[in-house]
């Protein structure tokens, strides 16, 4: 079993994940791809090229998806705000062609 990293500047997002039953070993504000090992899980809203890097290391990527209104973008959200916005984790496998 690998480590689970949550890449986010928002502590509310990590709290939301844990309240939803996802264990988080470490919160990162920036992904250092050298930390990621085979079997790890990375959670976040990362650019596609970084997701491809995660997948190339045989790690799992779970994308934090939200239905945010324009006025909520960039604001600190509570775990309840995130639930209200339909927060969910969706697995993606990305490969550069």
């Amino acid at each position: 079993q690998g480590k689970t990293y949550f890449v986010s500047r928002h502590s509310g997002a990590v709290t939301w994940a844990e309240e939803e039953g996802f264990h988080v070993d470490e919160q990162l504000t920036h992904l250092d791809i050298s930390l990621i090992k085979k079997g790890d899980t990375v959670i976040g809203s990362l650019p596609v090229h970084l997701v491809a890097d995660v997948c190339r290391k045989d790690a799992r990527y779970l994308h934090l998806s939200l239905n945010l209104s324009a006025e909520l973008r960039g604001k600190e959200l509570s775990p309840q705000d995130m639930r209200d916005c339909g927060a969910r984790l969706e697995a993606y496998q990305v490969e550069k062609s």
Side-chain angles (χ1 to χ4, degrees), residues 15 17 26 29-30 39 44 57-58 63 86 97:
T15 302
E26 192 172 339
T29 57
H30 176 80
K57 291 194 161 229
D58 290 326
H63 188 77
S97 61

Side-chain angles (χ1 to χ4, degrees), residues 26-83:
E26 192 172 339
Q27 179 182 358
L28 306 172
T29 57
H30 176 80
L31 178 63
D32 177 353
I33 196 66
S34 69
L35 293 174
I36 307 306
K37 309 285 185 247
K38 181 178 182 173
D40 286 347
T41 298
V42 176
I43 302 170
S45 297
L46 299 177
V48 69
H49 70 284
L50 292 180
V51 178
D53 289 345
V54 168
C55 294
R56 190 170 31 258
K57 291 194 161 229
D58 290 326
R60 183 176 184 217
Y61 177 69
L62 298 176
H63 188 77
L64 174 59
S65 298
L66 295 155
N67 302 321
L68 282 181
S69 61
E71 54 271 3
L72 287 179
R73 291 193 189 279
K75 298 202 184 306
E76 189 65 39
L77 302 177
S78 71
Q80 186 56 52
D81 292 335
M82 292 181 65
R83 282 188 279 280

